[in-house]
Structure formats: structure tokens, C-alpha cells
């Protein structure tokens, strides 16, 4: 539509103009059409067009055609930037081995790989036993902002694969350079653990101990909230109580969300009396809070708690009657 409006206004599109519809075209036919329009208009291909064409081919699963775009740019000044885009595109579309091979080829020529391409390799790294490769990639990131991003990705990788000693070593380096960034990545790690398998609760507690004792970080409320959520998924009240104590150790006051989370954990684990005691600390003025409590009761079986109380009362009445 925009191209037609430009033609009607006698405004000539350039290569940058065409790079946008090429990158976002929905079929190979559209890609061919735009490139033919460029050719017929005498518009030269430039770096944005090459990059857009690569992303379009990869999106359509045409990996060899995407590689050919690079192969045709043997002497171009933008060859390394275009190759870096191909590395990112391949990695993000399930072709990690090819992306890594291309990365190594670029390095063998003594050329520089763009930082965004290296971060793509971090994001789509598929192996669970090649930490050395990730560390080598991190060493390629000289810019501090990109280094922080790469470091965070490796720490999260280590936590996912229970390589806590390596995660701790990197956290120490990160903390020395930027204390706030270290807290951000710790929160992200606990967020992952809250959604992982139930066995991740133990990993979470080990990681919590490590960041306190070895890194010197105080756990944030966000991190502890995520750990409580992990205990709910694991139906692990014993470890939930350990985490509950960590709020006090960190000097964090319990708030409504803390009580609600712990209340849910206790309900899920069948500790109904403790859940009711926890419930007494929750103000129910807010309708949203009341809704969460009611929903938790319906889903996690608080009715069992009430019925068990009734049974106890009945037993007490029977015992009194027998004495009478």
C-alpha cells in the first residue's frame, strides 16, 4: 500500500524502503515480486536488503537460499555484518549447528562477529555439556552492555543445568562490576526454577544458600516469592517453611502476597490447620484478595479442612456423651 502511495506521489522508493516489505513478506512469491521491482527500477541491493532477504528466506525454511545471499557477497564491505545476521537467523530457526559453524568460519578469517549474533547463539544453545563454548563466546563480547547480557544468559544456563558453582563464579564477577545486574539475574533464575520440575526446589535452596554465603547477596522478595511458588508446584511444605524463615532473615516483612502464597502451599500440601492460621493474617478488605482465597479453597480443597474440623467436633461430642 505504501509503495503504491509513493508511486502515486511520484516519490521514488530506495533500497531501505524495500527492505521493510522484503523482511515482512508472507510468501516467497512476494519476496520475488519485491526484488524484481527493485531490479526493474534500477535500485541497487544494499546491506539492509541483503539482511532482509536472509531473514525472509530463513523464515520460509529456505536455508540454502539464505546462505547463497552471503556467498554472492564475496567482496562486499558489509559481508561480516550480513554473515552475522545469517548466524542469528539460522540459530533462531533451529539450525544451531550451521549457525555455530558459520560463526567459527568468520572467526577463522580474523573477522568480527556482531554482538547480537553472539547473543543469539546464547539464546538458542541446545547442548547441556559445553559450558566452555559459552565462556569462549562471552569472551568475544567486549562491549560492557553486551557482556552483561551474555553473562546473564550463561548464569541462567548454569542454573537450568544445575551447574551452580559456575553460576556463582559468574555472579561474583557480575556483582563486582554491577551490583544491580546481579540481583536482576538472580530474580530471573528463581523465576525459571518456579516453573521447572518439582525437583528444582532443592536446586533453588542450594542456589539461595550460595548467593548468600558465597556471593554476598541478600535474596529479594521477588526471589523468595518465586521459591514459594516452586514449593507449591512441588507440594513441598517442609521446604516452604524454610523459605518462609528466609523472609525474616533478609529483613523482609510479610505482606498480603506472601501470606497468600504460603496459604496456598499449605492447602496444596494438606496442612489445613496451618493454612487456616495463615489465613488469619490476611486482610480481606480487597475483593481481589477475597477472590484468590475463595478460588484457592475451591481448587485446593479447603472444604476438606472444614469437614475434618466437623469430624473432630463430632468425636468430641461422642466422647463427652460416653462419659455422661
Amino acid at each position: 500500500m505504501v509503495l503504491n502511495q509513493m508511486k502515486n506521489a511520484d516519490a521514488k522508493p530506495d533500497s531501505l524502503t524495500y527492505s521493510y516489505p522484503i523482511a515482512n513478506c508472507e510468501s516467497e512469491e512476494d519476496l520475488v515480486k519485491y526484488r524484481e521491482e527493485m531490479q526493474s527500477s534500477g535500485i541497487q541491493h544494499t546491506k539492509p536488503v541483503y539482511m532482509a532477504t536472509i531473514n525472509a528466506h530463513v523464515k520460509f525454511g529456505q536455508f540454502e537460499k539464505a546462505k547463497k545471499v552471503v556467498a554472492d557477497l564475496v567482496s562486499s564491505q558489509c559481508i561480516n555484518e550480513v554473515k552475522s545476521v545469517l548466524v542469528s537467523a539460522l540459530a533462531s530457526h533451529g539450525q544451531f549447528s550451521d549457525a555455530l559453524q558459520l560463526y567459527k568460519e568468520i572467526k577463522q578469517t580474523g573477522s568480527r562477529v556482531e554482538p547480537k549474533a553472539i547473543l543469539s547463539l546464547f539464546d538458542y544453545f541446545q547442548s547441556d555439556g559445553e559450558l566452555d563454548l559459552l565462556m569462549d563466546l562471552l569472551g568475544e563480547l567486549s562491549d560492557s552492555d553486551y557482556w552483561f547480557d551474555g553473562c546473564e544468559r550463561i548464569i541462567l544456563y548454569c542454573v537450568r543445568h544445575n551447574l551452580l558453582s559456575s553460576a556463582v563464579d559468574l555472579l561474583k564477577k557480575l556483582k563486582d562490576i554491577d551490583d544491580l545486574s546481579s540481583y536482576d539475574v538472580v530474580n530471573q533464575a528463581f523465576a525459571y526454577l518456579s516453573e521447572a520440575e518439582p525437583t528444582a526446589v532443592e536446586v533453588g535452596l542450594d542456589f539461595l544458600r550460595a548467593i548468600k554465603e558465597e556471593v554476598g547477596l541478600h535474596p529479594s522478595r521477588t526471589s523468595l516469592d518465586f521459591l514459594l511458588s516452586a514449593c507449591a508446584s512441588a507440594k513441598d511444605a517442609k521446604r516452604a517453611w524454610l523459605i518462609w524463615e528466609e523472609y525474616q532473615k533478609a529483613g523482609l516483612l510479610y505482606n498480603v502476597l506472601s501470606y497468600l502464597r504460603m496459604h496456598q502451599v499449605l492447602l496444596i500440601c494438606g496442612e489445613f490447620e496451618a493454612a487456616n492460621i495463615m489465613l488469619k493474617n490476611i486482610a480481606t478488605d480487597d475483593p481481589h484478595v477475597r477472590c484468590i482465597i475463595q478460588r484457592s479453597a475451591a481448587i485446593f480443597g479447603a472444604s476438606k479442612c472444614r469437614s475434618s474440623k466437623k469430624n473432630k467436633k463430632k468425636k468430641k461430642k461422642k466422647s463427652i456423651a460416653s462419659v455422661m
Side-chain angles (χ1 to χ4, degrees), residues 205 208 224 228 231 237-247 249 262:
L205 283 172
L208 178 64
L224 294 178
L228 269 187
C231 289
K238 182 179 179 181
R239 290 189 174 92
W241 283 117
L242 294 176
I243 296 163
W244 190 249
E245 294 175 0
E246 291 292 336
Y247 284 89
K249 293 178 182 178
M262 193 61 183

Side-chain angles (χ1 to χ4, degrees), residues 14 55 150 172 200 283 301:
D14 58 11
N55 283 317
K172 289 177 181 176

Side-chain angles (χ1 to χ4, degrees), residues 55-304:
N55 283 317
H57 280 311
V58 170
K59 181 172 64 176
F60 301 140
Q62 300 168 341
F63 305 116
E64 294 306 317
K65 288 186 177 181
K67 294 175 185 177
K68 190 174 185 305
V69 173
V70 171
D72 292 341
L73 291 176
V74 179
S75 60
S76 175
Q77 293 181 347
C78 63
I79 181 66
N80 287 326
E81 291 177 88
V82 176
K83 281 185 177 180
S84 293
V85 168
L86 180 57
V87 169
S88 298
L90 290 172
S92 63
H93 286 78
Q95 306 297 306
F96 185 84
S97 297
D98 287 351
L100 184 60
Q101 181 60 36
L102 179 57
Y103 162 80
K104 291 178 179 178
E105 290 175 4
I106 298 172
K107 293 300 298 177
Q108 285 172 358
T109 63
S111 301
R112 177 177 177 269
V113 181
E114 292 296 310
K116 290 183 179 180
I118 295 176
L119 291 180
S120 292
L121 292 175
F122 282 118
D123 289 334
Y124 299 97
F125 188 69
Q126 297 168 339
S127 174
D128 60 356
E130 296 185 35
L131 183 58
D132 290 343
L133 173 60
L134 290 180
M135 296 303 296
D136 289 342
L137 291 171
L138 183 63
E140 296 293 329
L141 298 172
S142 56
D143 182 276
S144 60
D145 290 337
Y146 286 116
W147 186 88
F148 287 144
D149 289 342
C151 188
E152 288 180 0
R153 284 164 166 81
I154 297 180
I155 291 171
L156 293 175
Y157 169 87
C158 290
V159 171
R160 283 197 298 269
H161 296 282
N162 198 12
L163 303 171
L164 297 188
S165 60
S166 298
V168 166
D169 290 342
L170 283 170
L171 267 176
K172 289 177 181 176
K173 294 180 181 179
L174 190 61
K175 181 176 181 292
D176 290 340
I177 300 173
D178 188 340
D179 194 55
L180 289 177
S181 291
S182 61
Y183 277 102
D184 287 341
V185 72
V186 166
N187 288 339
Q188 290 180 53
F190 283 117
Y192 162 76
L193 292 171
S194 70
E195 299 175 354
E197 294 298 322
T199 52
V201 177
E202 187 172 353
V203 176
L205 283 172
D206 288 341
F207 188 54
L208 178 64
R209 178 199 58 76
I211 65 169
K212 289 169 56 181
E213 298 177 5
E214 299 180 46
V215 186
L217 293 174
H218 299 291
S220 67
R221 181 182 298 280
T222 301
S223 292
L224 294 178
D225 286 349
F226 279 129
L227 270 179
L228 269 187
S229 298
C231 289
S233 299
K235 298 181 180 180
D236 193 334
K238 182 179 179 181
R239 290 189 174 92
W241 283 117
L242 294 176
I243 296 163
W244 190 249
E245 294 175 0
E246 291 292 336
Y247 284 89
Q248 291 183 321
K249 293 178 182 178
L252 299 170
L253 297 175
Y254 299 119
N255 60 19
V256 174
L257 291 177
S258 306
Y259 284 117
L260 283 172
R261 282 190 177 89
M262 193 61 183
H263 175 250
Q264 287 181 341
V265 173
L266 295 171
L267 282 179
I268 291 170
C269 296
E271 297 191 11
F272 298 117
E273 289 187 19
N276 281 336
I277 293 172
M278 194 65 60
L279 195 59
K280 293 177 182 178
N281 295 288
I282 304 174
T284 55
D285 300 338
D286 191 315
H288 298 292
V289 172
R290 291 198 301 271
C291 180
I292 292 172
I293 293 172
Q294 293 167 2
R295 188 166 178 78
S296 297
I299 295 174
F300 303 124
S303 58
K304 295 179 182 178

